[in-house]
Amino acid sequence: MKHAVHALLIASVLATAACTQDKSEQAPPRPAPTTTATASASNLAPAPDSSAAEASSSAEPIAKGPYLFDLLQRPDFAAAFQALAGAKELPEWTRQGGTSTPAQNVTVGSKTLQAASGCKPHDCPSERIVLLYDEKTHDMWGVFARRQGEAPADVSDTSNDQLTWLGEPDEQLKDALRKRLYYPE
């Protein structure tokens, strides 16, 4: 029963976000049918930019960045992902982007990083990935979460998740990745 309630909650949030998205800002259809549009904010401080100021003065969602699928089409991002320690052992859907939300710029320490996340299509609670990418240095770090056993009622409960750290993040980056994984807004 818990799984059905959790799946219904996720489906309703995704459907609401997809229905409320401004149609004039949608990208043309892509061959990857697994990309789902939802708005997501971060508990991390957004990087300062003009779009953040515009978003704060309107009801529009802050998140308008590219999806993980789009980022994986960029040569710089794709090369960083392929070189990421641990990426070769990840499921195939991670190399295609899975179901994702728009990427956002976040500040971690003194670095402005692009945060992108995705999950296993049709089964988001079971497998999720979060990546942080430095567009200046082309460094990347990430975390892959695989749920073991029954999903807990509280989605921020980490007790049933097996975490795989990607790219050897330091403690500050691990904290930022955990926040994006368990407390996205």
Side-chain angles (χ1 to χ4, degrees), residues 105-120:
N105 286 336
V106 296
T107 301
V108 179
S110 62
K111 296 179 184 178
T112 298
L113 305 172
Q114 191 166 36
S117 61
C119 63
K120 181 178 181 180

Side-chain angles (χ1 to χ4, degrees), residues 3-27:
H3 292 292
V5 171
H6 190 64
L8 181 60
L9 177 64
I10 290 172
S12 64
V13 168
L14 293 174
T16 302
C19 290
T20 59
Q21 187 175 21
D22 183 1
K23 303 295 183 203
S24 66
E25 294 182 14
Q26 287 183 350

Side-chain angles (χ1 to χ4, degrees), residues 125 128 145-148 157-163 181-182:
R128 297 156 335 272
R146 179 173 281 141
R147 179 96 1 125
Q148 306 294 313
D157 181 351
T158 64
S159 62
N160 288 2
D161 280 352
Q162 173 188 359
L163 300 182
L181 183 65
Y182 292 112

Side-chain angles (χ1 to χ4, degrees), residues 59-161:
E60 291 294 317
I62 294 172
K64 296 207 186 280
Y67 292 86
L68 184 54
F69 170 84
D70 300 314
L71 292 170
L72 288 166
Q73 304 307 305
R74 286 185 9 202
D76 61 324
F77 191 95
F81 183 72
Q82 290 172 0
L84 190 62
K88 289 177 179 50
E89 290 80 34
L90 296 175
E92 182 64 29
W93 70 260
T94 60
R95 288 178 276 293
Q96 299 166 354
T99 302
S100 62
T101 58
Q104 296 181 330
N105 286 336
V106 296
T107 301
V108 179
S110 62
K111 296 179 184 178
T112 298
L113 305 172
Q114 191 166 36
S117 61
C119 63
K120 181 178 181 180
H122 309 292
D123 194 8
C124 277
S126 72
E127 294 180 353
R128 297 156 335 272
I129 190 168
V130 177
L131 300 170
L132 296 175
Y133 177 62
D134 188 328
E135 291 184 286
K136 293 177 184 173
T137 65
H138 305 291
D139 289 329
M140 184 179 283
W141 306 271
V143 63
F144 176 76
R146 179 173 281 141
R147 179 96 1 125
Q148 306 294 313
E150 187 174 325
D154 178 6
V155 295
S156 64
D157 181 351
T158 64
S159 62
N160 288 2
D161 280 352

